[in-house]
Amino acid sequence: MFCDEPVIRAYMGQREYDDLPDANAFFDCYHGIVFHVTDGYRIVLETEHFYISLSSEGVSLDAKTGSLEEYEKPGEWLESFVHGTESSSDEPFWIEYEHTLFCGERLLEVSEENGVFSLVFDDFTMKVFPHKTGDEIHGIRTRNCLHVYGCERLLKKPCACGGAGELFLDFVSDYFVRCTNCKKATWSQMIAQDAIDEWNSGHLNWDASEITIE
């Protein structure tokens, strides 16, 4: 067991200043789950008593001996995947996919082969793929829909027809959930958790049988 505590918050670590101009990272959850990363970026997962760092140097487990700011590396800024609150509510107004994916999960095992790190969580597996600084790391540019992996555990309610749900990202970067059987889907949402909530509430509003999937 790498860490027996579930993740409660997640952060992207990046340079606060332009001192590493070739630093880069891309979190690919559309062809499996792979974090492509150079020096200058990392993902930090917070549990009750630990910080887990996913970086080009590998995966480390560090006891929480101070604040998050004290855990930052020199010149680094750790930004939460949950952004702000609306003035009239305590609810966050933007939740990135990484928060939905990681929170509640425990990191069970970590292994390394040929410089690539394999991570086993409770409900999904992923890889950390280090790159040399200056390597080109490309994001996704497509006019098609992409299957989004990792949150199958959160799609708790089957469709009325008995089919399971699959999470997708459309070509304008909105999320929707489609039934694997009848192909009915939720309306597209800007936040993945909102599309998941729509699915679990049984709100399927359109026929998505004709979508093109990359």
Side-chain angles (χ1 to χ4, degrees):
M1 175 74 72
F2 188 84
C3 183
D4 62 0
E5 296 182 356
V7 175
I8 56 176
R9 281 176 287 273
Y11 310 88
M12 176 62 80
Q14 54 194 308
R15 306 304 295 177
E16 189 171 10
Y17 308 104
D18 193 23
D19 56 343
L20 289 177
D22 294 324
N24 203 355
F26 174 58
F27 188 74
D28 184 357
C29 51
Y30 317 110
H31 308 91
I33 306 174
V34 184
F35 182 43
H36 296 274
V37 60
T38 70
D39 183 29
Y41 277 85
R42 62 172 172 162
I43 289 175
V44 171
L45 308 178
E46 181 181 0
T47 74
E48 183 178 0
H49 297 104
F50 298 97
Y51 292 118
I52 302 170
S53 175
L54 317 180
S55 73
S56 61
E57 298 177 348
V59 182
S60 63
L61 179 69
D62 302 300
K64 288 168 68 173
T65 58
S67 66
L68 180 70
E69 289 74 18
E70 292 173 304
Y71 187 66
E72 291 175 339
K73 296 179 179 181
E76 181 186 43
W77 173 37
L78 288 174
E79 182 180 16
S80 174
F81 288 114
V82 177
H83 301 281
T85 57
E86 297 179 350
S87 58
S88 60
S89 170
D90 291 331
E91 294 297 318
F93 64 80
W94 193 265
I95 300 173
E96 296 188 48
Y97 182 71
E98 289 85 346
H99 175 87
T100 303
L101 174 68
F102 287 117
C103 285
E105 292 286 297
R106 298 175 301 166
L107 179 51
L108 307 180
E109 299 177 17
V110 177
S111 60
E112 182 267 335
E113 184 176 359
N114 298 323
V116 178
F117 299 86
S118 297
L119 288 65
V120 179
F121 289 85
D122 285 305
D123 294 293
F124 64 89
T125 61
M126 68 170 285
K127 294 184 182 296
V128 175
F129 197 113
H131 294 262
K132 295 179 181 178
T133 301
D135 285 357
E136 292 188 16
I137 301 176
H138 295 290
I140 297 294
R141 296 178 180 87
T142 179
R143 297 295 294 179
N144 300 323
C145 294
L146 297 165
H147 187 178
V148 182
Y149 291 90
C151 282
E152 292 79 10
R153 72 190 187 279
L154 301 178
L155 299 169
K156 298 177 180 179
K157 185 177 180 180
C159 178
C161 76
E166 291 181 306
L167 183 64
F168 288 91
L169 188 76
D170 68 18
F171 64 90
V172 294
S173 298
D174 288 339
Y175 297 89
F176 65 92
V177 180
R178 186 182 75 162
C179 175
T180 56
N181 184 32
C182 71
K183 309 305 181 185
K184 289 183 178 179
T186 67
W187 290 130
S188 294
Q189 305 286 341
M190 291 188 293
I191 296 172
Q193 186 63 58
D194 290 343
I196 292 168
D197 292 343
E198 287 281 292
W199 169 268
N200 289 333
S201 298
H203 296 154
L204 307 183
N205 302 290
W206 62 289
D207 181 355
S209 58
E210 300 299 322
I211 65 172
T212 302
I213 303 170
E214 181 174 299

